[in-house]
Amino acid sequence: MDFKVKKSLMLHWKLIMLSITMLSLASCGGDKEEEKPAVADAPVYTLVFLDKTQSVHVDKQYVNDKYRQTLTDIIETNMKNKGDKLEVYFIHENTSKARALSLTVRSEKDNMEGSNATDREGIETAFQLSLQKEKSIYLRQLLAKLNQQNTGASNLSTDIWASLPVIAKAGESGSEVKVYYFSDMIESVKGANRRDFHIRPPQDDSQAEKDAKEDVKQLEKYAIGSPQVTIVSPFEATASTKENNPHVTHYWQTLFQELGGVSVEEL
């Protein structure tokens, strides 16, 4: 066979093999699942419980600074999309009836479908400006509630148990529920089958667990779901164990764990 013919045939064969390879790759690409449109996240439902009893002093510089910063972070982090909601309740003698504020994000991003890059950027900028304006208003309202004083008789009792039906109700909305207690968490309610940690606080973790497991029998009727729970403590890092009893925190950690496997973070 002539060398030139042989070389031409080899080149022709390589081109055929290259074509087959390209077709194979295209076929593989066709089998790939179509990308599904992104599903919008569930709205965030934030519950803020502000302790308005005698044992928490928001007029102290450390407490006020810490609480103001945490509330600012909550607004910034949790209020991002239309429908995100924040409610404030005062912790005192009548916690479950003490809703002090209810806020909902109204800003809405325009539909970007069919928009070019410039239009999309404009839509996003307009949305963020509107959202930041809302957040600024909400933060002022929130900080006003933080500094509101409670001089009535209701400041003599601390009914944190009463927050549980509020949490359960929020869970029924189908939203992602985030709960923040701005409190020393010293449950203090007079009466049978109630806890008064001012008089009889848990002395060790073992007693804290025993008390919590006993109390769950009364409280398990509230289906709280799986909220994210954070305790924002008013105590400085140098506070003594007499002032900041770690066994009280352990009581609440055990209680929420028993109610639904909920972990509690402390700030």
Side-chain angles (χ1 to χ4, degrees), residues 202-215:
Q203 298 301 309
D204 52 38
D205 280 355
S206 178
Q207 185 187 344
E209 289 180 15
K210 179 176 176 292
D211 290 349
K213 288 176 181 179
E214 284 180 4
D215 294 342

Side-chain angles (χ1 to χ4, degrees), residues 12 27 63 72 105 147 174 176 198 211 232:
H12 185 64
S27 176
V63 179
T72 301
V105 173
N147 293 312
E176 178 186 359
H198 281 304
D211 290 349
V232 190

Side-chain angles (χ1 to χ4, degrees), residues 110-143:
D110 290 341
N111 190 347
M112 290 190 181
E113 189 177 347
S115 302
N116 60 33
T118 303
D119 290 341
R120 287 198 297 272
E121 186 177 346
I123 290 168
E124 182 64 36
T125 300
F127 169 70
Q128 290 300 330
L129 286 172
S130 176
L131 181 62
Q132 288 304 321
K133 185 177 179 180
E134 273 194 280
K135 285 183 178 182
S136 179
I137 294 168
Y138 292 166
L139 182 59
R140 286 200 300 272
Q141 293 176 303
L142 197 50
L143 295 178

Side-chain angles (χ1 to χ4, degrees), residues 48 67-75 139 142-143 146 182:
V48 171
Y67 279 11
R68 283 174 65 91
Q69 184 58 57
T70 306
L71 289 171
T72 301
D73 293 343
I74 288 171
I75 288 284
L139 182 59
L142 197 50
L143 295 178
L146 171 66
F182 289 73

